[in-house]
Amino acid sequence: MGAYLCPPVVLHGEHAVETSQILAEVRRRHPQAPWLSRIDGIAASTGIASRGWMLPLKTAAAPGSGSGLRTPGAGQAREALAGRGFTGEEVNRVIAALEAIPAPQTIQERTAPAWAAVQAYGEHAARGALRAAGLETADVDCLITSHSTTPALPGLDLSLLNRLPLRDDVLLLPATQWACIAGTRSLALAADLVAADPDRVVLVVISEALSTTYQPADDTLESLIVRLLFADTAVAVVVTGHPRTESVLRLDAVWHHTLLGTTDLHRLETRADGTHFVMDRRGPRAVQQTVAAMWEWLRVRHQDDRHPWHPDLLLAHPGGTRVLEYMEQTMPDAWPTGLLDYSRDSYTTGNRGGAAVLDILRRAHDAGQKSGSRTLLYAAAPGLTATAVEGEWL
């Protein structure tokens, strides 16, 4: 395949949001929730004490600019109350009480500042990745972008083309709905692009404000878990068809797998107050099926090798630590221990969605890797769909 990666650049959300802050906000807002007595244990089980957000917690938890009378409005409410026989004084008291009720943020109020942050973080990450590769914006031939939690049209691709700026003939490939798989699938696509034209320079940028799924009014147990899990991150990396002095990893093979009939397990839903991430308890078991399929792909791929094959690094984002445990339990016995250490380390500061695999790759890079170290990158996303990329450190 012959695709070469320069060091990825990772920008974490600048606002540290402590788990204790989230729990305090939840207790204040939902004092009667039936699961309230369990939240300390649930929070501890995530292993996340703090996560970085692009915007502070108070921004996500703040009420909207309107009131309880945003719809239908005071005039219609007065007419309805008067028609029911309320006196003028009673109508005034009811209207005043309703106007004092804070309304939740609208989708616009919630998404607009996050979208601005996604663009700014994406630009900074892109510039950093080009510097790390020893390249200029004029050298970029193709831009692959992903941002799943801040829908916009035009999207991040055109925003970056104008902000950097890039040449007007750059091929733009936005992949808004890749979500958690954006890291591995963007590398797979970049590898295909440089295989077709080795002189191409591909810039990958993923910028995710997953904190937009923090919905203060949602009182479900699943919403509590979503509050605790997600972090905001922007990542960028340059992929070339020829090795450069700055190249750190060569990609050799790509694998894709999708499970039919699983679109309802994990999904984003747009409601009146914004984006909600909905999780199904069957999800992890379905993700495990993609892991089993990947093990089989590797077995077949390396069955004729002269020596038994195993990765020296496994950089995986399967959605949570539960599937990481499954991966450890089901990988071949002869494989070394500690393959998932960098993956576990990344999860201690939050689930980064599509940015996760490149964050994990950066952690491995910073720790220093021997030339020839065999590496497998894997991620799964709502769908359920998975992509793995196999390569070696240079």
Side-chain angles (χ1 to χ4, degrees), residues 72 89 131 150 186 206 223 246 269 303 316 329 334 351 370 386:
E89 182 179 348
R131 285 194 299 270
T150 47
S186 61
I206 304 163
S223 178
E246 298 84 359
E269 289 185 354
Q303 64 184 351
Q329 294 164 2
N351 181 324
K370 294 180 181 179

Side-chain angles (χ1 to χ4, degrees), residues 197-261:
D197 181 357
D199 292 328
R200 272 188 178 132
V201 172
V202 181
L203 174 62
V204 172
V205 183
I206 304 163
S207 188
E208 288 286 22
L210 297 175
S211 58
T212 54
T213 63
Y214 188 103
Q215 296 297 345
D218 195 334
D219 63 356
T220 64
L221 181 59
E222 289 75 15
S223 178
L224 167 67
I225 297 172
V226 170
R227 283 173 166 90
L228 295 167
L229 289 182
F230 289 131
D232 295 348
T233 314
V235 295
V237 67
V238 170
V239 181
T240 60
H242 300 292
R244 299 179 56 81
T245 302
E246 298 84 359
S247 301
V248 296
L249 185 70
R250 186 190 68 246
L251 304 183
D252 296 324
V254 167
W255 168 85
H256 302 289
H257 189 76
T258 301
L259 299 176
L260 298 178

Side-chain angles (χ1 to χ4, degrees), residues 320-374:
T321 55
R322 179 177 169 185
V323 184
L324 289 181
E325 293 171 357
Y326 172 83
M327 295 178 78
E328 289 176 329
Q329 294 164 2
T330 57
M331 66 178 61
D333 293 337
W335 287 15
T337 60
L339 293 179
L340 290 164
D341 287 352
Y342 297 113
S343 304
R344 290 188 178 280
D345 184 53
S346 178
Y347 275 119
T348 63
T349 49
N351 181 324
R352 293 176 170 79
V357 162
L358 289 178
D359 172 66
I360 299 166
L361 178 63
R362 183 69 206 199
R363 292 167 191 264
H365 170 270
D366 290 347
Q369 302 300 324
K370 294 180 181 179
S371 176
S373 293
R374 296 165 295 195

